[in-house]
């Protein structure tokens, strides 16, 4: 179970890096003419994941991956944190806890930014790539 929890953590970090990469690469790629930032399925996946994160935060629900990892850690007989991964990272980085509404507002703002990027750097549907 402990190895599975570590695997879920690796996937979770990968999802976070994917999201952050998209937030940076899409506007730069739109400006620089990078074709991959207009791939429809990639952009839809990026927006969908960020939308799910924002919705979970607004509903004050922990991330599905956080809950899954915590459950696996507990099943392995270890103590598991209940706070979301990003919240733990931020708390460790600034050494003071922030209320959950701050994270909800942050995630909703990031999701709104991603929607704006959808408009400013529109993806191309597969039929448009020919």
């Amino acid at each position: 179970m402990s190895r599975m929890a570590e695997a879920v953590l690796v996937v979770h970090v990968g999802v976070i890096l994917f999201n952050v990469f998209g937030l940076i690469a899409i506007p730069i790629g739109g400006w620089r003419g990078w074709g991959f930032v207009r791939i429809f399925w990639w952009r839809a996946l990026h927006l969908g994941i960020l939308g799910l994160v924002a919705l979970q935060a607004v509903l004050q629900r922990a991330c599905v991956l956080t809950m899954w990892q915590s459950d696996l850690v507990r099943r392995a007989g270890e103590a598991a944190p209940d706070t979301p991964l990003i919240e733990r990272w931020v708390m460790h980085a600034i050494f003071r806890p922030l209320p959950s509404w701050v994270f909800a507002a942050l995630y909703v703002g990031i999701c709104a930014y991603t929607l704006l990027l959808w408009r400013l750097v529109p993806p191309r549907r597969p039929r448009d790539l020919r």
Side-chain angles (χ1 to χ4, degrees):
M1 289 296 174
S2 185
R3 293 242 189 250
M4 287 176 59
E6 289 174 9
V8 171
L9 177 62
V10 168
V11 169
H12 200 178
V13 170
V15 168
I16 292 166
L17 292 174
F18 169 77
N19 286 334
V20 171
F21 173 76
L23 293 171
I24 296 167
I26 293 166
I28 293 172
W31 174 61
R32 303 277 308 192
W34 299 340
F36 81 93
V37 300
R38 295 185 185 268
I39 297 172
F40 184 81
W41 68 264
W42 186 78
R43 293 288 297 281
L45 180 63
H46 186 250
L47 178 59
I49 291 171
L50 287 171
L52 180 62
V53 168
L55 179 63
Q56 288 173 337
V58 168
L59 297 175
Q60 296 184 346
R61 304 276 185 199
C63 173
V64 172
L65 293 173
T66 298
M67 293 186 313
W68 190 16
Q69 181 199 4
S70 294
D71 184 52
L72 289 169
V73 168
R74 282 188 197 96
R75 287 183 185 194
E78 301 170 22
D82 289 323
T83 55
L85 182 63
I86 294 294
E87 189 173 338
R88 288 195 313 263
W89 285 356
V90 170
M91 280 196 261
H92 288 298
I94 62 175
F95 302 109
R96 65 183 280 244
L98 296 171
S100 61
W101 69 264
V102 172
F103 293 96
L106 177 67
Y107 294 145
V108 169
I110 290 170
C111 190
Y113 170 69
T114 305
L115 283 169
L116 178 65
L117 287 176
W118 192 276
R119 176 111 174 129
L120 296 175
V121 186
R124 292 188 184 101
R125 295 193 182 269
R127 68 179 186 281
D128 296 337
L129 295 176
R130 289 183 239 160

